[in-house]
Each structure stands twice: as structure tokens, then as C-alpha cells.
Amino acid sequence: MILKVYTSLLLLFLVNSVWTRTVRQVYDDLGLDHWSHYTSECPQECFCPPSFPNALYCDNKGLKEIPPIPARIWYLYLQNNQIETLSEKPFVNATHLRWINLNKNKITNAGIENGALSKLKRLLYLFLEDNELEEVPAPLPVGLEQLRLARNKISRIPEGVFSHLENLTMLDLHQNSLLDSALQSDTFQGLNNLMQLNIAKNSLKKMPLSIPANTLQLFLDNNSIEVIPENYFSAIPKVTFLRLNYNKLSDDGIPPNGFNVSSILDLQLSHNQLTKIPPINAHLEHLHLDHNKIKSVNGTQICPVSIALEEDYGYYGKVPRLRYLRLDGNEIQPPIPLDIMICFRLLQAVVI
């Protein structure tokens, strides 16, 4: 018992010593002059955390304009304000900015001074969600890696706006006002490293043209898409996650092997108008088909490999990789057909 008490006291002493030393080091490293300088240059409306000197928190302050940003700032938080304009002046000294969060403000395209964004040469992340934008702002910083423009009023994408954004990996345009006419064959030209494209909750009736070839995740939920063009996914051979929930896809709108694509691992077709399960690839792992008009399931017909052949090869052959199958909200009556289980031996969950 005494040993335990001594051990606990020793541990507490060590923790306190480390904590004291760490706090003291922060002050010692900065020095009184530096500390005073950091405090004095912090905008009065904002918060400059002592433990995170490269960050500036100006969120939820009722700001109508952006205050002058100190040169040391990398991470700038301006969300949840009343900001209407974005000019070059506040960023004159902020040449090291990596991250700007301007979500939930009142910024319009007219309120963005020409060149105000493009001069932020080191900016990697730009968040402009929940504003009043009617088109993608241009020009943009060439080094951007993420651009989030969800929940604006965007109906237009200026020609060439993405042409120099070779480092962009994520583009979020969901819940805007994009029509098919806004997405031309060269709209996404230049996005050579794009991995995620989100155009959900717009007003598209067709699959968008010329998706960047390296795209891994394509989100098109909540549009009015009716047809998948023949060989559409051959142009995006790396697509892994495909979401087409809440569209108007019918059996006639899907080519015979439209979704029989080896790269697709997660396919979501919920809330459409399908009456049968479309052909799938043996590599598919997750399939969402809930809330369609499917009346029955024939495991032999939908099995991507011959069941007889599968019996011969067993687990060392081309066993389909499907692990999750969702079929609820259709007209299918349980139980699950036995041939489904024979074909998809790796199934872990079936919702019916």
C-alpha cells in the first residue's frame, strides 16, 4: 500500500514537472519581448492562442470585414461572421497562410477583389461554404489542395478557372445550382491530381463530362440523372466510391455492363427507379440498392462469376468480394435466396 502511494506521488511529481517545464519552455522560447509582440499584433476582435502562435481565431465575432492578419499566421478561422467582402489589404503581410475558413458568411462574387485570393501563394485549404457566391471565384491560388464551395448559389464555372490547380485533390460543389450546361468538356481540365469530386444536390440531368482521370470518389447524389453513357467509367479508371443516390435511374438508363467496373468498391444507387439489380463486378464490396422498385433477386443471375466455377475454385479462386448488400425499401420478400449466399460467400450483412 505504501509502495503504491509513493509510486503515485512520484508519478504526479514527474507529470507536474514535465507540465511546468513545458509551459516554462513556451515562455522561455518566445521570450518576453516576443510574447508582448504577439499579444500586441493580435487583432482586438480575435483570439491568438499562446500555445498555437500560427493560428488566429476570429470566428463567431459578428465581423463585417476581415481584420489585418499578422505575418506569422498559417491558420485563419473566420467562419460564422457577417463578412461580405474579401480584399487584398488584410492579407498584405500574411504571406504564409495555409488555411482559411470563411464558411457561413455573406461573401458574394462582387465582394471579392480581383486577385485577392490568387496572391495567397502558399494557401492550401480554402473553405467558402454557406456564402452567397453565384460562380466559382477566380483567379484562385495555384497551390490549393482543397476547395470547398458547398451550399452557395453557384450556377456558373468560369472557363479555365481550374486549369492551373494541379495540386487540387478535393473539390466540393455540392448543394449549389449547377445545370448540365455549366459543366463543359473542359471545365475540369488541369485537375490532374483530383481525387474527390462532389457535385451532389445540384440540378444535373446527365453524367458530367470529362471527369479528371485520377478521380477516386465521385458523388452525384440528389440530382436528376437518368442515363449512364456507354463506357462512361473507362475515362475514370480509378474510381472507387460512386454515389448516385436519389436520382432517376431506370433499367433502360444503364448499359448492360455500366457498373461492371473492376475499380468500383462502393456503389450506391439508393432511391432510384430500378426494377432489377444491374450487373456488378466481382471486386465490388458494398452495394446500396435500397428504395428502388426491385421485386425479386436471383443470385445465379446477378452473380459476377459462374457459381459452378466458384465451387471448383473455392476461396482461392474468383470469389466475389461483396460484403454488404442493402435491398430494403423494395418489393422483395424475405427470406434471402440461398443462391445469394452461395455466390457471395464473403457477405457480412444483408438488409432486406
Side-chain angles (χ1 to χ4, degrees), residues 13-30:
F13 172 76
L14 290 173
V15 170
N16 285 334
S17 298
V18 171
W19 182 85
T20 304
R21 192 183 306 116
T22 302
V23 172
R24 188 176 296 147
Q25 281 177 347
V26 171
Y27 284 90
D28 290 345
D29 290 345
L30 290 176

Side-chain angles (χ1 to χ4, degrees), residues 291-319:
H291 298 90
N292 277 274
K293 299 179 179 180
I294 301 171
K295 295 182 179 181
S296 62
V297 180
N298 187 315
T300 303
Q301 291 180 354
I302 69 171
C303 192
V305 300
S306 168
I307 291 181
L309 187 63
E310 187 180 345
E311 290 287 346
D312 292 338
Y313 282 106
Y315 283 97
Y316 301 99
K318 296 182 178 180
V319 176

Side-chain angles (χ1 to χ4, degrees), residues 233-289:
F233 299 105
S234 62
I236 42 176
K238 297 181 180 180
V239 64
T240 305
F241 300 91
L242 178 61
R243 293 197 333 217
L244 280 159
N245 303 318
Y246 292 94
N247 277 282
K248 296 182 179 180
L249 289 171
S250 63
D251 301 330
D252 294 336
I254 300 176
N257 285 296
F259 295 120
N260 188 359
V261 180
S262 61
S263 65
I264 299 178
L265 302 182
D266 190 300
L267 176 60
Q268 300 190 20
L269 297 169
S270 305
H271 294 271
N272 278 279
Q273 300 171 11
L274 302 175
T275 64
K276 59 184 180 181
I277 298 178
I280 59 174
N281 194 272
H283 290 90
L284 188 67
E285 296 183 3
H286 295 83
L287 178 58
H288 297 246
L289 284 165

Side-chain angles (χ1 to χ4, degrees), residues 224-240:
S224 299
I225 297 171
E226 299 178 355
V227 176
I228 306 294
E230 190 82 36
N231 299 320
Y232 181 84
F233 299 105
S234 62
I236 42 176
K238 297 181 180 180
V239 64
T240 305

Side-chain angles (χ1 to χ4, degrees), residues 36 51 60 99 133 155 162 166 212 253 261-262 282 331:
S36 176
S51 60
N60 296 287
W99 171 302
L133 299 173
S155 61
F162 301 128
E166 294 185 359
V261 180
S262 61
E331 300 175 30

Side-chain angles (χ1 to χ4, degrees), residues 140-144 147 161-168 190-192:
L140 290 163
V142 295
L144 274 185
L147 177 60
V161 67
F162 301 128
S163 59
H164 300 295
L165 303 186
E166 294 185 359
N167 295 327
L168 199 71
L191 299 179
N192 300 326

Side-chain angles (χ1 to χ4, degrees), residues 157-178:
I157 301 179
E159 184 177 356
V161 67
F162 301 128
S163 59
H164 300 295
L165 303 186
E166 294 185 359
N167 295 327
L168 199 71
T169 59
M170 197 273 272
L171 175 59
D172 191 345
L173 288 162
H174 90 269
Q175 201 167 331
N176 277 285
S177 303
L178 293 171

Side-chain angles (χ1 to χ4, degrees), residues 56 61 77 80 108 130 155 184 193 196 217 235 237 239 265:
L56 181 61
K61 301 295 183 182
Y77 299 89
N80 292 301
T108 63
D130 297 286
S155 61
Q184 300 298 315
N193 290 297
Q196 183 186 111
Q217 300 177 341
V239 64
L265 302 182

